[in-house]
Amino acid sequence: MDRSDAAQRRRRLVTAEPAGAAAPGGLTRRRRRQLSLGGQYGIFVVVVVLLLALADWGTLRLNFANWDVAKSLFPDIITVGLRNTALYTAVGFGIGLGGGLVVALMRLSSVPPYRWFATAYIEIFRGLPLLLIFIFVGVGVPLAFPGTNIPGGAAGQAGLALGLAATAYMAETIRAGIEAVPKGQLEAARSLGMSHTRAMRSIIIPQAFRIIIPPLTNELVLLCKDSSLVLFLGITLEQRELTKFGRDLAGEQGNTTPIIVAGICYLLITIPLSLLARRLEARQRRGRR
């Protein structure tokens, strides 16, 4: 029985279809894959050609890429719109980073009330739309605290709204970074006589920040885009950021070019930051190998 089974297995191996053998239709798997890929490329090219052929390029250039309208935006779109966008983003990131570190440490604290507060804060502000936070800062804070002015005017209000939301996200990022540091680092520092506070400040937190630099860079990109919601705070002409600036000029001139130029200005900020985040992530991966 054993010899007959072995013989049958040998016959199956001999008669089995090779990996590249032709299917009943006469095409190998590799050939079918090539034809399928070629068909997908062909469909893509046809769609692009149709769009290019059907587009009214004169109307598009006049309404979306009007050079005369674009020139009229400078230098104000840089000195006002781009400058304010960068300012609001920087203030929000600073508040979010400082607040996120505090909330992350409270989240890891051994004191239950601290953990409860940090958990509630993170869940609430991660669950609320950012627009509601802007409205709360612009309307709710003056009503809750009459006569109280947030320092910095529109920049302070925008930074506070962005910072409140960013704190919740950064707190979770920082907490994950701290927990990613091997526990032996803290134990070694304590064995050398360091207090828990000094070990966290000198050993753990610096290593955690090196780990979380890429996600923090991504958070900075998100804050830059979210700064467009500052228009709901009732800002003046000199306090306009890129979205408000482009929207106002588009309405005044009846042309979409200002919005396109404002979008390009956003890309001048976000694309370099995204490239930086990817480079930092790649460097971390190489460092872990």
Side-chain angles (χ1 to χ4, degrees):
M1 293 296 292
D2 294 340
R3 292 180 179 177
S4 62
D5 291 342
Q8 290 177 1
R9 283 197 294 269
R10 283 196 297 270
R11 283 196 296 270
R12 292 195 198 101
L13 291 174
V14 171
T15 59
E17 180 183 354
L27 297 176
T28 63
R29 289 183 180 178
R30 182 177 180 180
R31 183 58 179 167
R32 289 201 305 272
R33 191 182 305 113
Q34 292 175 344
L35 290 175
S36 175
L37 187 60
Q40 295 176 33
Y41 278 116
I43 293 173
F44 176 78
V45 171
V46 169
V47 171
V48 171
V49 170
L50 286 176
L51 290 176
L52 293 177
L54 296 176
D56 187 347
W57 291 104
T59 302
L60 290 175
R61 186 194 62 79
L62 182 64
N63 292 316
F64 292 89
N66 192 312
W67 180 244
D68 294 330
V69 174
K71 287 192 298 184
S72 68
L73 303 178
F74 293 90
D76 291 344
I77 195 169
I78 301 297
T79 58
V80 177
L82 186 61
R83 176 181 63 85
N84 287 333
T85 294
L87 176 61
Y88 300 152
T89 302
V91 174
F93 186 79
I95 294 175
L97 187 61
L101 177 59
V102 173
V103 174
L105 293 176
M106 294 175 68
R107 183 79 168 78
L108 297 171
S109 174
S110 59
V111 181
Y114 289 170
R115 293 200 309 272
W116 299 338
F117 172 82
T119 301
Y121 182 94
I122 291 170
E123 295 301 326
I124 290 173
F125 280 92
R126 285 203 307 177
L128 289 176
L130 186 56
L131 177 57
L132 286 182
I133 300 176
F134 268 88
I135 295 174
F136 170 76
V137 171
V139 178
V141 172
L143 291 177
F145 305 96
T148 301
N149 293 321
I150 298 176
Q157 290 182 337
L160 178 60
L162 290 170
L164 288 174
T167 294
Y169 291 96
M170 291 189 187
E172 284 295 272
T173 301
I174 295 172
R175 178 191 62 80
I178 292 174
E179 292 181 338
V181 177
K183 294 182 179 180
Q185 299 282 338
L186 181 59
E187 295 172 355
R190 295 302 302 275
S191 67
L192 294 174
M194 289 187 182
S195 65
H196 184 274
T197 302
R198 183 181 176 186
M200 289 291 294
R201 184 178 65 250
S202 303
I203 306 297
I204 305 301
I205 292 178
Q207 293 188 62
F209 269 91
R210 282 196 292 270
I211 295 172
I212 63 174
I213 284 178
L216 287 182
T217 306
N218 291 329
E219 184 64 30
L220 183 59
V221 173
L222 294 176
L223 284 178
C224 179
K225 295 184 292 184
D226 290 339
S227 65
S228 61
L229 294 176
V230 72
L231 62 90
F232 291 97
L233 295 178
I235 55 179
T236 64
L237 293 177
E238 292 301 318
Q239 296 171 337
R240 292 179 297 179
E241 40 68 53
L242 284 171
T243 299
K244 176 67 173 173
F245 190 96
R247 178 184 176 186
D248 290 348
L249 270 294
E252 290 177 8
Q253 303 192 23
N255 194 284
T256 317
T257 301
I259 297 178
I260 302 299
V261 177
I264 294 173
C265 291
Y266 273 113
L267 295 178
L268 293 177
I269 300 175
T270 57
I271 289 179
L273 288 175
S274 299
L275 293 175
L276 176 62
R278 285 198 288 270
R279 173 168 290 188
L280 292 173
E281 289 176 357
R283 180 179 296 179
Q284 280 193 357
R285 286 195 296 269
R286 289 195 300 268
R288 288 195 293 265
R289 291 175 183 174

